[in-house]
Amino acid sequence: MCDFLFSSFTQTVEHGFPNQPSALAYDPKLQLMAIGTKSGAIKIYGAPGVEMTGLHKDTAAVTQIHFLYGQGRILSLLDDNTIHLWEIVQRENRSHLVEVHSFNLPGRPGIESTSATRVTVMLLKLSCDLLALGTEGGGVHFLELPTLTLLNKSLFQDEIMQSIPEEYKCGKSLGPVESLQQHPQDSDKILIGYSRGLVVLWDLNSRHVDNLFLGKQQLESLVWERSGNSFVSSHSDGGYMVWAVSSSNPCTHDPISSTIPYGPFPCKAVNKILWRTTESGSPLVLFSGGMPRASYGDRHCLTILQDSSHVTLDFTSRVIDFFTIHCTDKDKEFDDPSALVVLLEEELVVIDLQMAGWPTVPAPYLAPLHSSAITCSCHISNVPPKLWERVISAGQQQCPLQNYENWPLCGGKNLAADPKPKELLLTGHEDGTVRFWDASGVSLKPLYKLSTANIFQTDGDHNDSLTQAGEEEWPPFRKVGCFDPYSDDPRLAIQKISVCKYSGKLVVAGTAGQVIVLVLSDEKSDHMIDVATVDLLQDREGFTWKGHDRLPPKSGSVVFAPGFQPVVLVQCMPPAAVTAVTLHAEWNLIAFGTSHGFGLFDYHRRSPVCTLHPNDSLAMEGPLSRVKSLKKSLRQSFRRIRKSRVSGKKRVVVNSPTSKVQEANAQLAEHDAEVTPVQRRIEPRSADDSLSGVVRCLCFADTFLRDGTHHGPTMWAGTNSGSVYAYALDVPSQEKFSEQSVEALLGKEIQLMHRAPVVSIAVLDGRGNPLPEPYEVSRDLAKAPDMQGSHSVLIVSEEQFKVFMLPKVSAKTKFKLTAHEGCRVRKVALSNFTSVSSEEYSENALVCLTNLGDIHVFSVPALRPQVRYDCIRKEDISGIASCVFTKTGQGFYLISPSEYERFSLSARVITEPLCRVDVERPHDLSAHRKKSHFKLYYKKKLHTMTVFTVFLIK
């Protein structure tokens, strides 16, 4: 295989919502937003496609971040008390976020303890040349920017105390600095708020106290009114106060007004407050917290007040921070806010402040993938235009306001071309929903949500529309956001998904044995759902199911919106979780498996074809136990091969369909033992394993099973005990689907020697290529498979890959991964790698993720190792379990419950940010950057404006 097909393993972009966000910032000039996380990451977002990420060297939490407006620079404060300066720089046409400075505030020797110099708040002057730091000890220190040089003009509490009236001192400390705010009209004055309640207007030039505001309530935050004639303070008692600033009254004892919006009973603290003036007259007041302790102390709320309008936004996760997008032009008289951006612990919510009712604005990125916990995923490459348009249409009818053109964060320019091959990522969730995401580009956009809960009778209300608060309810709550970690019934959880992208058919399977076949419809429908029960343990005596009950389906007709609508519900009995499912839309067949066996179902005739189930404690261990058919019983054709447990050896039955395979496997094993004595010894697994009956994989294929001259439909099933069953299917022609039923005959059976679980099965044509998907050949969308040469089947177990020739099922080649590498297979896929130099040349490869988190690529069908990459930490079990490969050499895995990491193995197919940001930098840090070995390449300089083309990578 050619080297130019593969790139080095590249982690290209992170999709979803940052895990554990801890800080928020906004640059009104560049119109960029930054989010800091507890893991030390800084993520910048602008217009869709404009993204970048920086990671601090130490994994300390980011507690505060601030933009240097218009400069493409960011200041970050970590919980280890260090301050870091970041810049957007360009290097060899690959630009990203780079740390250029760091600073740690020293204490006064012998006077201040380490805790006293701990930074509690940062104020960046609008001129971006001075940084003020408030500390726990009550001191305020000043740094020169952008060099982060400590200036010798620190302000300490003892200097402030000299101006305070004696009756206010009471021998008490002022407490930590809680807030620093620059005067909106006079840049040389800052407002300093202390925890005890004192607020000081300090003149930086004269080092003089201009005004004192003797607050008596513990202070939480401060905000200026735009004119600078007043400011607002919020407090721990759930109230806020408006204070007048007057040069004629240097010491103010009482505010103009004091309000506890949700009093008079004790309330929680108002953590942050914003006061925005509007041209319409009344100011807009926004604050977080302040809820009555006894009644709603556990709510996460943000209140919006204006005149008689009062809304209490009720979120399902904690408010981290928020800001408004408003007019910052000094020549303008009013703020006139247009949008409110709220960063929550689990999602980002944007509110339109200009439309009546203050509706939410859908976000084109940062979608909370984990709005309900992700339980499975499925990727679809090269989505047909018709399917794409129909899915988008269904999604727009669900959310008519889903228009990203009004997205307020529009900084930077996305230079990436609109991706031509569309990609869908489907995620199954704990609440029984399947969500469709646009995975074509950098931003993972929500397109459509399918809910399966309305098919069943459950206790919860599954109406997705947000219920509005009644007129009499107080506070006037309004549910906002889509993060909902609670599931009404854990049995609803989606376990497996299978899609036919050409016919618009979808199969989803759940935790309680439910298998639902759905068809994409453009019209609303009101119909009853056909229910078929498939008993996988027919005639089994002495078995008692002790698990959960099945989900009871609704008996009457159900209204379904345009989109995927169920046509039949297949209920497996016992109602164990479905472990494998596959769909063949051209044959109208689905196959499904649980820990108790597997079944084949004709959804056109609404009838099961056959089931296979265990007959004793050896759950599906070894050959076929029994096959049931609607037309006839196959028990007369196939007898169960009994196995002896004496000395742990199997008694081979002469003329059995598996004896030759077992002999061949034994000979290969002996041969390998002679040739490769350094391989690890792999012990056969016990046949008494209670999980041996779990069906791990299923697949359909048109291939040679009965003889080498006649090919036809087949179904393959692999189990946890290393057994593979192959069925020859008698599928009627399209014209006779309604007249004839599908029949299945067991054609072959393979028992892997070490009984390792079978992870995947794929049939290869005469050229060694994977067979095309249903409808691809009949609709001239793919080349017809080679039906002249000998077909083969690739069977992947947890320990090895093995290719068998068909129809004789003779071993052709294999690779013992566990024996050679000491690892086990967890995820596997057949991917097509296209050459960088020529789009016409491509090769297929087997991509494998192991339990150690590394990825191996093998040629097909020769199984020669090509490359190996470290991908996921071996300790990250959930990340390994969540990995899904694409057919073009990319992949996704969860790096947190809310984020997918996207990676690429292909040299040609790479999805990563490509954008441009215009920045102004009056100060040059080139000298420092030379020391840091950063070389800057400027594309164009125009006065003080530098235009960067930013090709963002991590």
Side-chain angles (χ1 to χ4, degrees), residues 467-498:
T467 56
Q468 304 298 322
E471 292 182 2
E472 302 299 323
E473 185 179 1
W474 182 261
F477 288 119
R478 187 169 90 197
K479 286 283 185 184
V480 179
C482 59
F483 176 73
D484 183 9
Y486 308 107
S487 174
D488 294 311
D489 195 324
R491 295 174 296 175
L492 290 168
I494 305 298
Q495 296 295 327
K496 297 294 175 182
I497 302 171
S498 183

PDB file of all heavy atoms in Angstrom, residues 467-498:
ATOM      1  N   THR A 467     -42.573  24.527  27.995  1.00  0.00           N
ATOM      2  CA  THR A 467     -43.797  25.052  28.575  1.00  0.00           C
ATOM      3  C   THR A 467     -43.539  26.428  29.158  1.00  0.00           C
ATOM      4  O   THR A 467     -42.557  26.656  29.861  1.00  0.00           O
ATOM      5  CB  THR A 467     -44.293  24.096  29.679  1.00  0.00           C
ATOM      6  OG1 THR A 467     -43.248  23.922  30.641  1.00  0.00           O
ATOM      7  CG2 THR A 467     -44.670  22.756  29.095  1.00  0.00           C
ATOM      8  N   GLN A 468     -44.440  27.315  28.870  1.00  0.00           N
ATOM      9  CA  GLN A 468     -44.303  28.676  29.347  1.00  0.00           C
ATOM     10  C   GLN A 468     -44.927  28.795  30.735  1.00  0.00           C
ATOM     11  O   GLN A 468     -45.887  28.116  31.079  1.00  0.00           O
ATOM     12  CB  GLN A 468     -45.000  29.650  28.378  1.00  0.00           C
ATOM     13  CG  GLN A 468     -44.498  29.547  26.957  1.00  0.00           C
ATOM     14  CD  GLN A 468     -43.014  29.889  26.860  1.00  0.00           C
ATOM     15  OE1 GLN A 468     -42.532  30.781  27.544  1.00  0.00           O
ATOM     16  NE2 GLN A 468     -42.298  29.174  26.021  1.00  0.00           N
ATOM     17  N   ALA A 469     -44.375  29.690  31.517  1.00  0.00           N
ATOM     18  CA  ALA A 469     -44.874  29.886  32.873  1.00  0.00           C
ATOM     19  C   ALA A 469     -46.263  30.520  32.836  1.00  0.00           C
ATOM     20  O   ALA A 469     -46.578  31.334  31.980  1.00  0.00           O
ATOM     21  CB  ALA A 469     -43.913  30.778  33.646  1.00  0.00           C
ATOM     22  N   GLY A 470     -47.087  30.136  33.778  1.00  0.00           N
ATOM     23  CA  GLY A 470     -48.407  30.732  33.865  1.00  0.00           C
ATOM     24  C   GLY A 470     -48.316  32.169  34.350  1.00  0.00           C
ATOM     25  O   GLY A 470     -47.339  32.585  34.969  1.00  0.00           O
ATOM     26  N   GLU A 471     -49.398  32.935  34.101  1.00  0.00           N
ATOM     27  CA  GLU A 471     -49.377  34.345  34.449  1.00  0.00           C
ATOM     28  C   GLU A 471     -49.284  34.541  35.957  1.00  0.00           C
ATOM     29  O   GLU A 471     -48.712  35.526  36.432  1.00  0.00           O
ATOM     30  CB  GLU A 471     -50.630  35.026  33.897  1.00  0.00           C
ATOM     31  CG  GLU A 471     -50.658  35.097  32.372  1.00  0.00           C
ATOM     32  CD  GLU A 471     -51.885  35.828  31.883  1.00  0.00           C
ATOM     33  OE1 GLU A 471     -52.659  36.304  32.743  1.00  0.00           O
ATOM     34  OE2 GLU A 471     -52.069  35.910  30.662  1.00  0.00           O
ATOM     35  N   GLU A 472     -49.851  33.633  36.717  1.00  0.00           N
ATOM     36  CA  GLU A 472     -49.883  33.787  38.166  1.00  0.00           C
ATOM     37  C   GLU A 472     -48.629  33.254  38.839  1.00  0.00           C
ATOM     38  O   GLU A 472     -48.425  33.474  40.019  1.00  0.00           O
ATOM     39  CB  GLU A 472     -51.116  33.072  38.731  1.00  0.00           C
ATOM     40  CG  GLU A 472     -52.438  33.558  38.153  1.00  0.00           C
ATOM     41  CD  GLU A 472     -52.666  35.044  38.434  1.00  0.00           C
ATOM     42  OE1 GLU A 472     -52.287  35.502  39.525  1.00  0.00           O
ATOM     43  OE2 GLU A 472     -53.203  35.725  37.548  1.00  0.00           O
ATOM     44  N   GLU A 473     -47.785  32.550  38.127  1.00  0.00           N
ATOM     45  CA  GLU A 473     -46.621  31.937  38.758  1.00  0.00           C
ATOM     46  C   GLU A 473     -45.573  32.989  39.082  1.00  0.00           C
ATOM     47  O   GLU A 473     -45.301  33.900  38.307  1.00  0.00           O
ATOM     48  CB  GLU A 473     -46.016  30.882  37.826  1.00  0.00           C
ATOM     49  CG  GLU A 473     -44.872  30.115  38.483  1.00  0.00           C
ATOM     50  CD  GLU A 473     -44.287  29.059  37.560  1.00  0.00           C
ATOM     51  OE1 GLU A 473     -44.751  28.931  36.416  1.00  0.00           O
ATOM     52  OE2 GLU A 473     -43.352  28.367  38.005  1.00  0.00           O
ATOM     53  N   TRP A 474     -44.988  32.846  40.251  1.00  0.00           N
ATOM     54  CA  TRP A 474     -43.931  33.761  40.671  1.00  0.00           C
ATOM     55  C   TRP A 474     -42.830  32.954  41.356  1.00  0.00           C
ATOM     56  O   TRP A 474     -43.124  32.157  42.237  1.00  0.00           O
ATOM     57  CB  TRP A 474     -44.469  34.818  41.645  1.00  0.00           C
ATOM     58  CG  TRP A 474     -43.402  35.793  42.037  1.00  0.00           C
ATOM     59  CD1 TRP A 474     -42.664  35.775  43.196  1.00  0.00           C
ATOM     60  CD2 TRP A 474     -42.923  36.891  41.280  1.00  0.00           C
ATOM     61  NE1 TRP A 474     -41.775  36.798  43.199  1.00  0.00           N
ATOM     62  CE2 TRP A 474     -41.901  37.510  42.036  1.00  0.00           C
ATOM     63  CE3 TRP A 474     -43.236  37.415  40.034  1.00  0.00           C
ATOM     64  CZ2 TRP A 474     -41.203  38.616  41.589  1.00  0.00           C
ATOM     65  CZ3 TRP A 474     -42.557  38.523  39.598  1.00  0.00           C
ATOM     66  CH2 TRP A 474     -41.559  39.116  40.362  1.00  0.00           C
ATOM     67  N   PRO A 475     -41.599  33.131  40.975  1.00  0.00           N
ATOM     68  CA  PRO A 475     -41.095  33.952  39.876  1.00  0.00           C
ATOM     69  C   PRO A 475     -41.588  33.463  38.498  1.00  0.00           C
ATOM     70  O   PRO A 475     -41.946  32.298  38.351  1.00  0.00           O
ATOM     71  CB  PRO A 475     -39.577  33.790  39.989  1.00  0.00           C
ATOM     72  CG  PRO A 475     -39.322  33.301  41.380  1.00  0.00           C
ATOM     73  CD  PRO A 475     -40.506  32.475  41.729  1.00  0.00           C
ATOM     74  N   PRO A 476     -41.578  34.352  37.504  1.00  0.00           N
ATOM     75  CA  PRO A 476     -42.067  33.982  36.166  1.00  0.00           C
ATOM     76  C   PRO A 476     -41.041  33.152  35.398  1.00  0.00           C
ATOM     77  O   PRO A 476     -40.358  33.636  34.499  1.00  0.00           O
ATOM     78  CB  PRO A 476     -42.305  35.342  35.492  1.00  0.00           C
ATOM     79  CG  PRO A 476     -41.337  36.266  36.155  1.00  0.00           C
ATOM     80  CD  PRO A 476     -41.223  35.790  37.582  1.00  0.00           C
ATOM     81  N   PHE A 477     -40.930  31.876  35.766  1.00  0.00           N
ATOM     82  CA  PHE A 477     -39.914  30.997  35.177  1.00  0.00           C
ATOM     83  C   PHE A 477     -40.199  30.723  33.704  1.00  0.00           C
ATOM     84  O   PHE A 477     -41.353  30.617  33.279  1.00  0.00           O
ATOM     85  CB  PHE A 477     -39.865  29.660  35.917  1.00  0.00           C
ATOM     86  CG  PHE A 477     -39.271  29.742  37.290  1.00  0.00           C
ATOM     87  CD1 PHE A 477     -40.017  29.403  38.410  1.00  0.00           C
ATOM     88  CD2 PHE A 477     -37.961  30.162  37.468  1.00  0.00           C
ATOM     89  CE1 PHE A 477     -39.474  29.477  39.678  1.00  0.00           C
ATOM     90  CE2 PHE A 477     -37.403  30.233  38.737  1.00  0.00           C
ATOM     91  CZ  PHE A 477     -38.167  29.898  39.840  1.00  0.00           C
ATOM     92  N   ARG A 478     -39.122  30.584  32.940  1.00  0.00           N
ATOM     93  CA  ARG A 478     -39.218  30.116  31.564  1.00  0.00           C
ATOM     94  C   ARG A 478     -38.077  29.147  31.325  1.00  0.00           C
ATOM     95  O   ARG A 478     -36.907  29.506  31.430  1.00  0.00           O
ATOM     96  CB  ARG A 478     -39.125  31.279  30.577  1.00  0.00           C
ATOM     97  CG  ARG A 478     -39.405  30.825  29.154  1.00  0.00           C
ATOM     98  CD  ARG A 478     -39.571  32.007  28.236  1.00  0.00           C
ATOM     99  NE  ARG A 478     -38.290  32.410  27.647  1.00  0.00           N
ATOM    100  CZ  ARG A 478     -38.077  33.584  27.068  1.00  0.00           C
ATOM    101  NH1 ARG A 478     -39.026  34.486  27.060  1.00  0.00           N
ATOM    102  NH2 ARG A 478     -36.914  33.874  26.540  1.00  0.00           N
ATOM    103  N   LYS A 479     -38.437  27.903  31.037  1.00  0.00           N
ATOM    104  CA  LYS A 479     -37.419  26.886  30.780  1.00  0.00           C
ATOM    105  C   LYS A 479     -36.645  27.238  29.510  1.00  0.00           C
ATOM    106  O   LYS A 479     -37.242  27.475  28.462  1.00  0.00           O
ATOM    107  CB  LYS A 479     -38.067  25.509  30.617  1.00  0.00           C
ATOM    108  CG  LYS A 479     -38.548  24.899  31.913  1.00  0.00           C
ATOM    109  CD  LYS A 479     -37.399  24.334  32.719  1.00  0.00           C
ATOM    110  CE  LYS A 479     -37.897  23.606  33.959  1.00  0.00           C
ATOM    111  NZ  LYS A 479     -36.757  23.142  34.781  1.00  0.00           N
ATOM    112  N   VAL A 480     -35.332  27.250  29.617  1.00  0.00           N
ATOM    113  CA  VAL A 480     -34.488  27.617  28.481  1.00  0.00           C
ATOM    114  C   VAL A 480     -33.351  26.601  28.381  1.00  0.00           C
ATOM    115  O   VAL A 480     -32.830  26.131  29.393  1.00  0.00           O
ATOM    116  CB  VAL A 480     -33.917  29.042  28.639  1.00  0.00           C
ATOM    117  CG1 VAL A 480     -33.029  29.398  27.466  1.00  0.00           C
ATOM    118  CG2 VAL A 480     -35.041  30.057  28.756  1.00  0.00           C
ATOM    119  N   GLY A 481     -32.958  26.297  27.142  1.00  0.00           N
ATOM    120  CA  GLY A 481     -31.859  25.350  26.934  1.00  0.00           C
ATOM    121  C   GLY A 481     -32.385  23.963  26.654  1.00  0.00           C
ATOM    122  O   GLY A 481     -33.561  23.650  26.873  1.00  0.00           O
ATOM    123  N   CYS A 482     -31.508  23.116  26.163  1.00  0.00           N
ATOM    124  CA  CYS A 482     -31.925  21.758  25.796  1.00  0.00           C
ATOM    125  C   CYS A 482     -31.186  20.683  26.576  1.00  0.00           C
ATOM    126  O   CYS A 482     -31.421  19.501  26.354  1.00  0.00           O
ATOM    127  CB  CYS A 482     -31.724  21.541  24.293  1.00  0.00           C
ATOM    128  SG  CYS A 482     -30.027  21.748  23.729  1.00  0.00           S
ATOM    129  N   PHE A 483     -30.298  21.059  27.495  1.00  0.00           N
ATOM    130  CA  PHE A 483     -29.607  20.044  28.285  1.00  0.00           C
ATOM    131  C   PHE A 483     -30.587  19.448  29.283  1.00  0.00           C
ATOM    132  O   PHE A 483     -31.152  20.156  30.128  1.00  0.00           O
ATOM    133  CB  PHE A 483     -28.410  20.651  29.011  1.00  0.00           C
ATOM    134  CG  PHE A 483     -27.708  19.680  29.927  1.00  0.00           C
ATOM    135  CD1 PHE A 483     -26.934  18.658  29.411  1.00  0.00           C
ATOM    136  CD2 PHE A 483     -27.838  19.778  31.306  1.00  0.00           C
ATOM    137  CE1 PHE A 483     -26.306  17.754  30.240  1.00  0.00           C
ATOM    138  CE2 PHE A 483     -27.205  18.882  32.145  1.00  0.00           C
ATOM    139  CZ  PHE A 483     -26.435  17.867  31.607  1.00  0.00           C
ATOM    140  N   ASP A 484     -30.804  18.163  29.176  1.00  0.00           N
ATOM    141  CA  ASP A 484     -31.733  17.467  30.064  1.00  0.00           C
ATOM    142  C   ASP A 484     -31.133  16.111  30.412  1.00  0.00           C
ATOM    143  O   ASP A 484     -31.298  15.136  29.673  1.00  0.00           O
ATOM    144  CB  ASP A 484     -33.091  17.290  29.387  1.00  0.00           C
ATOM    145  CG  ASP A 484     -34.112  16.639  30.310  1.00  0.00           C
ATOM    146  OD1 ASP A 484     -33.815  16.477  31.515  1.00  0.00           O
ATOM    147  OD2 ASP A 484     -35.209  16.279  29.840  1.00  0.00           O
ATOM    148  N   PRO A 485     -30.421  16.028  31.522  1.00  0.00           N
ATOM    149  CA  PRO A 485     -29.702  14.783  31.837  1.00  0.00           C
ATOM    150  C   PRO A 485     -30.600  13.666  32.345  1.00  0.00           C
ATOM    151  O   PRO A 485     -30.140  12.551  32.543  1.00  0.00           O
ATOM    152  CB  PRO A 485     -28.728  15.232  32.935  1.00  0.00           C
ATOM    153  CG  PRO A 485     -29.423  16.370  33.612  1.00  0.00           C
ATOM    154  CD  PRO A 485     -30.228  17.070  32.541  1.00  0.00           C
ATOM    155  N   TYR A 486     -31.876  13.950  32.556  1.00  0.00           N
ATOM    156  CA  TYR A 486     -32.758  12.947  33.145  1.00  0.00           C
ATOM    157  C   TYR A 486     -33.578  12.236  32.067  1.00  0.00           C
ATOM    158  O   TYR A 486     -34.156  12.867  31.193  1.00  0.00           O
ATOM    159  CB  TYR A 486     -33.696  13.608  34.170  1.00  0.00           C
ATOM    160  CG  TYR A 486     -32.959  14.422  35.190  1.00  0.00           C
ATOM    161  CD1 TYR A 486     -32.994  15.810  35.151  1.00  0.00           C
ATOM    162  CD2 TYR A 486     -32.181  13.801  36.173  1.00  0.00           C
ATOM    163  CE1 TYR A 486     -32.295  16.574  36.075  1.00  0.00           C
ATOM    164  CE2 TYR A 486     -31.475  14.544  37.093  1.00  0.00           C
ATOM    165  CZ  TYR A 486     -31.540  15.930  37.041  1.00  0.00           C
ATOM    166  OH  TYR A 486     -30.839  16.667  37.952  1.00  0.00           O
ATOM    167  N   SER A 487     -33.614  10.919  32.163  1.00  0.00           N
ATOM    168  CA  SER A 487     -34.417  10.121  31.244  1.00  0.00           C
ATOM    169  C   SER A 487     -35.617   9.575  32.000  1.00  0.00           C
ATOM    170  O   SER A 487     -35.491   9.110  33.137  1.00  0.00           O
ATOM    171  CB  SER A 487     -33.584   8.961  30.682  1.00  0.00           C
ATOM    172  OG  SER A 487     -34.394   8.107  29.906  1.00  0.00           O
ATOM    173  N   ASP A 488     -36.788   9.667  31.345  1.00  0.00           N
ATOM    174  CA  ASP A 488     -38.001   9.176  32.003  1.00  0.00           C
ATOM    175  C   ASP A 488     -37.982   7.671  32.192  1.00  0.00           C
ATOM    176  O   ASP A 488     -38.611   7.147  33.105  1.00  0.00           O
ATOM    177  CB  ASP A 488     -39.234   9.578  31.177  1.00  0.00           C
ATOM    178  CG  ASP A 488     -39.422  11.080  31.150  1.00  0.00           C
ATOM    179  OD1 ASP A 488     -39.385  11.690  32.227  1.00  0.00           O
ATOM    180  OD2 ASP A 488     -39.575  11.643  30.058  1.00  0.00           O
ATOM    181  N   ASP A 489     -37.273   6.973  31.326  1.00  0.00           N
ATOM    182  CA  ASP A 489     -37.233   5.512  31.414  1.00  0.00           C
ATOM    183  C   ASP A 489     -35.930   5.032  30.788  1.00  0.00           C
ATOM    184  O   ASP A 489     -35.706   5.235  29.591  1.00  0.00           O
ATOM    185  CB  ASP A 489     -38.431   4.912  30.677  1.00  0.00           C
ATOM    186  CG  ASP A 489     -38.659   3.456  31.034  1.00  0.00           C
ATOM    187  OD1 ASP A 489     -37.655   2.729  31.230  1.00  0.00           O
ATOM    188  OD2 ASP A 489     -39.833   3.035  31.111  1.00  0.00           O
ATOM    189  N   PRO A 490     -35.057   4.393  31.554  1.00  0.00           N
ATOM    190  CA  PRO A 490     -33.770   3.955  30.993  1.00  0.00           C
ATOM    191  C   PRO A 490     -33.911   2.924  29.888  1.00  0.00           C
ATOM    192  O   PRO A 490     -32.981   2.718  29.113  1.00  0.00           O
ATOM    193  CB  PRO A 490     -33.038   3.363  32.211  1.00  0.00           C
ATOM    194  CG  PRO A 490     -34.114   3.049  33.206  1.00  0.00           C
ATOM    195  CD  PRO A 490     -35.183   4.057  32.980  1.00  0.00           C
ATOM    196  N   ARG A 491     -35.070   2.287  29.775  1.00  0.00           N
ATOM    197  CA  ARG A 491     -35.283   1.293  28.720  1.00  0.00           C
ATOM    198  C   ARG A 491     -35.372   1.934  27.336  1.00  0.00           C
ATOM    199  O   ARG A 491     -35.243   1.254  26.326  1.00  0.00           O
ATOM    200  CB  ARG A 491     -36.562   0.498  29.007  1.00  0.00           C
ATOM    201  CG  ARG A 491     -36.516  -0.348  30.265  1.00  0.00           C
ATOM    202  CD  ARG A 491     -37.866  -0.994  30.547  1.00  0.00           C
ATOM    203  NE  ARG A 491     -38.900  -0.001  30.827  1.00  0.00           N
ATOM    204  CZ  ARG A 491     -40.187  -0.280  31.015  1.00  0.00           C
ATOM    205  NH1 ARG A 491     -40.594  -1.538  30.925  1.00  0.00           N
ATOM    206  NH2 ARG A 491     -41.055   0.666  31.279  1.00  0.00           N
ATOM    207  N   LEU A 492     -35.594   3.243  27.303  1.00  0.00           N
ATOM    208  CA  LEU A 492     -35.693   3.938  26.023  1.00  0.00           C
ATOM    209  C   LEU A 492     -34.345   4.089  25.327  1.00  0.00           C
ATOM    210  O   LEU A 492     -34.275   4.375  24.131  1.00  0.00           O
ATOM    211  CB  LEU A 492     -36.294   5.335  26.230  1.00  0.00           C
ATOM    212  CG  LEU A 492     -37.770   5.408  26.608  1.00  0.00           C
ATOM    213  CD1 LEU A 492     -38.123   6.819  27.056  1.00  0.00           C
ATOM    214  CD2 LEU A 492     -38.648   4.982  25.436  1.00  0.00           C
ATOM    215  N   ALA A 493     -33.253   3.932  26.075  1.00  0.00           N
ATOM    216  CA  ALA A 493     -31.914   4.225  25.550  1.00  0.00           C
ATOM    217  C   ALA A 493     -31.642   3.489  24.242  1.00  0.00           C
ATOM    218  O   ALA A 493     -31.914   2.293  24.101  1.00  0.00           O
ATOM    219  CB  ALA A 493     -30.855   3.851  26.584  1.00  0.00           C
ATOM    220  N   ILE A 494     -31.087   4.238  23.268  1.00  0.00           N
ATOM    221  CA  ILE A 494     -30.755   3.675  21.954  1.00  0.00           C
ATOM    222  C   ILE A 494     -29.413   2.960  22.048  1.00  0.00           C
ATOM    223  O   ILE A 494     -28.428   3.520  22.524  1.00  0.00           O
ATOM    224  CB  ILE A 494     -30.693   4.779  20.886  1.00  0.00           C
ATOM    225  CG1 ILE A 494     -32.000   5.580  20.851  1.00  0.00           C
ATOM    226  CG2 ILE A 494     -30.393   4.182  19.516  1.00  0.00           C
ATOM    227  CD1 ILE A 494     -33.211   4.784  20.495  1.00  0.00           C
ATOM    228  N   GLN A 495     -29.373   1.713  21.580  1.00  0.00           N
ATOM    229  CA  GLN A 495     -28.146   0.921  21.639  1.00  0.00           C
ATOM    230  C   GLN A 495     -27.467   0.772  20.277  1.00  0.00           C
ATOM    231  O   GLN A 495     -26.244   0.762  20.191  1.00  0.00           O
ATOM    232  CB  GLN A 495     -28.440  -0.470  22.211  1.00  0.00           C
ATOM    233  CG  GLN A 495     -28.927  -0.467  23.643  1.00  0.00           C
ATOM    234  CD  GLN A 495     -27.875   0.038  24.617  1.00  0.00           C
ATOM    235  OE1 GLN A 495     -26.686  -0.161  24.423  1.00  0.00           O
ATOM    236  NE2 GLN A 495     -28.322   0.708  25.668  1.00  0.00           N
ATOM    237  N   LYS A 496     -28.244   0.654  19.208  1.00  0.00           N
ATOM    238  CA  LYS A 496     -27.671   0.423  17.877  1.00  0.00           C
ATOM    239  C   LYS A 496     -28.479   1.185  16.824  1.00  0.00           C
ATOM    240  O   LYS A 496     -29.698   1.355  16.952  1.00  0.00           O
ATOM    241  CB  LYS A 496     -27.668  -1.082  17.527  1.00  0.00           C
ATOM    242  CG  LYS A 496     -26.806  -1.942  18.443  1.00  0.00           C
ATOM    243  CD  LYS A 496     -25.319  -1.613  18.298  1.00  0.00           C
ATOM    244  CE  LYS A 496     -24.493  -2.401  19.315  1.00  0.00           C
ATOM    245  NZ  LYS A 496     -23.055  -2.054  19.215  1.00  0.00           N
ATOM    246  N   ILE A 497     -27.774   1.624  15.775  1.00  0.00           N
ATOM    247  CA  ILE A 497     -28.391   2.362  14.673  1.00  0.00           C
ATOM    248  C   ILE A 497     -27.877   1.788  13.357  1.00  0.00           C
ATOM    249  O   ILE A 497     -26.687   1.502  13.219  1.00  0.00           O
ATOM    250  CB  ILE A 497     -28.041   3.861  14.728  1.00  0.00           C
ATOM    251  CG1 ILE A 497     -28.486   4.484  16.063  1.00  0.00           C
ATOM    252  CG2 ILE A 497     -28.661   4.619  13.555  1.00  0.00           C
ATOM    253  CD1 ILE A 497     -27.993   5.902  16.269  1.00  0.00           C
ATOM    254  N   SER A 498     -28.776   1.629  12.386  1.00  0.00           N
ATOM    255  CA  SER A 498     -28.383   1.220  11.041  1.00  0.00           C
ATOM    256  C   SER A 498     -29.210   2.014  10.041  1.00  0.00           C
ATOM    257  O   SER A 498     -30.422   2.172  10.226  1.00  0.00           O
ATOM    258  CB  SER A 498     -28.606  -0.287  10.842  1.00  0.00           C
ATOM    259  OG  SER A 498     -28.157  -0.691   9.567  1.00  0.00           O
TER     260      SER A 498
END
